[in-house]
């Protein structure tokens, strides 16, 4: 039986942050025994979040009301922008990450399914419960 555990393809890091790409599996759509594409996850690890969970809670309230929200708009941290409106260019919930001061990289991922913001509130509560941050 073949090993199905994820394989790291990229792992770049220093003492404070890292970027890695793990191949999760192969995708076949051409009808052959060969893979046509790879399914992968990119993980960016950095300490930029710090104690800003209160503003994420506020962003969740805006998103639940159907409005756009930006998280981490202050300082030199990357910004996460979420547009749940159906009148945006993709017609999906657009999730964008913008590295404002560093690389200036901007990426947008359209999510077809509408997120359940109540589930995200539960995830926030679980993080707050486990990691009690100084305010």
């Amino acid at each position: 039986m073949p090993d199905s555990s994820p394989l790291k393809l990229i792992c770049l890091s220093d003492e404070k942050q890292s970027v890695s790409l793990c191949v999760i599996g192969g995708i076949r759509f051409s009808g052959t025994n060969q893979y046509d594409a790879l399914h992968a996850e990119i993980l960016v690890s950095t300490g930029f979040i710090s104690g800003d969970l209160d503003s994420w809670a506020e962003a969740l309230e805006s998103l639940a009301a159907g409005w756009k929200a930006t998280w981490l708009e202050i300082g030199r941290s990357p910004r996460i922008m979420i547009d749940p409106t159906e009148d945006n260019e993709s017609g999906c919930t657009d999730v964008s990450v913008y590295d404002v001061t560093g690389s200036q990289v901007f990426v947008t991922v359209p999510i077809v399914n509408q997120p359940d913001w109540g589930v995200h509130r539960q995830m926030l509560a679980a993080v707050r419960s486990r990691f009690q941050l100084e305010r």
Side-chain angles (χ1 to χ4, degrees):
M1 180 172 197
D3 185 3
S4 62
S5 61
L7 292 172
K8 277 195 179 177
L9 179 63
I10 298 170
C11 187
L12 305 167
S13 65
D14 61 22
E15 299 81 31
K16 296 182 181 178
Q17 48 203 15
S18 68
V19 175
S20 61
L21 184 140
C22 291
V23 177
I24 297 169
I27 302 168
R28 293 184 179 109
F29 49 82
S30 62
T32 68
N33 289 334
Q34 300 274 321
Y35 292 110
D36 297 297
L38 297 175
H39 181 94
E41 287 183 335
I42 297 173
L43 177 64
V44 177
S45 176
T46 182
F48 72 85
I49 293 176
S50 62
D52 203 11
L53 296 179
D54 290 336
S55 65
W56 177 236
E58 293 169 9
L60 283 174
E61 293 303 316
S62 293
L63 293 164
W67 301 322
K68 298 177 187 180
T70 300
W71 186 46
L72 299 173
E73 285 188 277
I74 57 173
R76 302 177 50 84
S77 66
R79 293 189 174 118
I80 299 173
M81 296 159 287
I82 303 170
D83 182 355
T85 62
E86 294 179 4
D87 60 348
N88 61 33
E89 188 173 322
S90 71
C92 303
T93 296
D94 285 341
V95 181
S96 303
V97 179
Y98 177 35
D99 183 8
V100 178
T101 59
S103 66
Q104 297 291 306
V105 168
F106 187 93
V107 63
T108 299
V109 178
I111 306 295
V112 175
N113 299 331
Q114 277 291 28
D116 180 343
W117 302 116
V119 169
H120 284 80
R121 285 188 193 105
Q122 293 169 359
M123 291 188 286
L124 173 60
V127 168
R128 282 182 161 161
S129 174
R130 183 167 176 194
F131 301 100
Q132 312 229 335
L133 298 172
E134 289 291 327
R135 295 184 185 205

